[in-house]
Amino acid sequence: MLKQTEKRPVVLAIGGHDPIGGAGIQADIEAIGSNGCHAATVVTCLTVQDTCNVRKLIPTPVEILLEQARAVLSDCLVSAIKIGLLGNAEAAQAVADLIGDHPRIPVVFDPVLAAGGGSDLANDRLLQVIRSDLLPRCHLLTPNTHEAFRLSGQNQDFDPDRCAQTLLESGARAILLTGTHDTRDAHQVIHRLYRGGEPLWLSRWPRLEGEYHGSGCTLASAIAAALGHGCSLTDATQHGLAFTWSSLEAGFPVGHCQKIPERYLKRSQPGHSQA
Ligand code: PLP
């Protein structure tokens, strides 16, 4: 349980812009703000997309991205960093180097590799940099089953434990493998938190109907905010899952395809028990 500090914790969100406002930096700002932190933001790329799919990705020049992030990090006491869509290997390398310079700041990385509508948002070079340079510097990786499968290079039937083990061996310190896309269980979603040397931690939620745009961003940002408040990894994870489930349950349509999460619900601050 955490005390509220007088100063609002600053969480640096690094990710892409989604003009629909469901995913990406806007999702981060909403989730981080609703969890009692201030979001500082560095946009890795613009996108052209709607609620159905991503059509185009326009990267920010890497030197600008780095200059912006360094300005934030030298001016503010950043309590946590959340990383989302990177878009290309150069951005991933720059972000890996940047967080390597700030090893004490907890980093939550949502490895966005594809859009909900199916567009591929990562090539092999980006995957390679993520595996070799980014994973070992992150405190928590929050892949869904597709992302875990791809990142771990598994080429047989999906086995969550084996995927997580491979990612831990790549240097990731903790992996929250989200279970939404694992539809073997029609009624519940099981999220799994793996940490080297610690027992597996499970969190079960009633399965919600439909698909949501920005659920992964919401989850990783809410966890980063809770870490920014000083929560332990398991408390922050449980808080982030509860926040996200409530946001999805109250999700609303804005376009023709996926709904977007309602992240402006009134709720308690991280570290205080959830209903
Ligand atoms: N960030 C951006 C800019 C995106 O366009 C997307 C998906 O299209 C995501 C993140 C990931 O969205 P989700 O949280 O639904 O996985």
Side-chain angles (χ1 to χ4, degrees):
M1 180 96 64
L2 276 197
K3 283 187 281 172
Q4 286 296 298
T5 50
E6 267 178 42
K7 244 181 151 184
R8 195 176 295 213
V10 175
V11 176
L12 172 60
I14 302 175
H17 177 252
D18 162 20
I20 283 292
I25 285 291
Q26 184 170 331
D28 299 337
I29 295 169
E30 292 177 7
I32 291 166
S34 289
N35 283 287
C37 294
H38 171 72
T41 55
V42 170
V43 177
T44 55
C45 54
L46 299 177
T47 66
V48 178
Q49 64 178 298
D50 53 28
T51 56
C52 305
N53 211 348
V54 175
R55 287 199 285 272
K56 206 175 198 174
L57 208 144
I58 308 102
T60 305
V62 169
E63 58 280 14
I64 302 294
L65 188 161
L66 275 177
E67 219 177 312
Q68 287 188 324
R70 287 192 183 122
V72 172
L73 284 158
S74 57
D75 190 30
C76 312
L77 184 65
V78 172
S79 300
I81 297 176
K82 183 261 167 174
I83 303 170
L85 176 62
L86 289 160
N88 61 40
E90 290 69 31
Q93 189 62 61
V95 170
D97 295 343
L98 182 86
I99 62 173
D101 292 339
H102 298 272
R104 282 168 204 265
I105 304 178
V107 178
V108 181
F109 176 32
D110 173 24
V112 180
L113 305 180
S119 281
D120 195 4
L121 302 174
N123 60 22
D124 287 346
R125 277 188 61 227
L126 172 54
L127 288 175
Q128 189 46 46
V129 175
I130 289 177
R131 287 190 196 107
S132 59
D133 292 276
L134 204 45
L135 287 195
R137 293 176 189 166
C138 293
H139 296 75
L140 178 66
L141 184 71
T142 60
N144 61 34
T145 47
H146 301 315
E147 291 158 348
F149 201 71
R150 225 174 136 190
L151 272 178
S152 63
Q154 301 281 331
N155 50 15
Q156 285 159 12
D157 287 346
F158 181 72
D159 175 344
D161 296 343
R162 212 177 50 230
C163 274
Q165 194 49 43
T166 308
L167 293 173
L168 287 173
E169 282 162 13
S170 306
R173 280 177 247 184
I175 295 144
L176 174 63
L177 184 46
T178 61
T180 315
H181 296 92
D182 183 356
T183 48
R184 288 175 294 185
D185 188 328
H187 303 293
Q188 65 175 352
V189 175
I190 305 176
H191 304 296
R192 297 172 159 82
L193 178 64
Y194 298 87
R195 292 155 292 168
E198 300 262 352
L200 176 63
W201 182 96
L202 296 177
S203 185
R204 297 167 199 273
W205 295 86
R207 185 174 285 283
L208 294 166
E209 272 189 30
E211 293 196 351
Y212 302 85
H213 184 48
S215 51
C217 309
T218 305
L219 174 63
S221 289
I223 295 175
L227 290 173
H229 280 284
C231 289
S232 68
L233 186 62
T234 43
D235 284 355
T237 301
Q238 184 62 14
H239 178 84
L241 290 170
F243 177 88
T244 304
W245 193 89
S246 308
S247 297
L248 299 183
E249 190 195 22
F252 55 95
V254 291
H256 291 93
C257 297
Q258 297 182 315
K259 288 194 211 169
I260 69 170
E262 169 58 89
R263 290 171 283 247
Y264 289 123
L265 293 171
K266 276 244 171 289
R267 62 192 55 123
S268 61
Q269 296 289 312
H272 296 258
S273 57
Q274 296 285 306

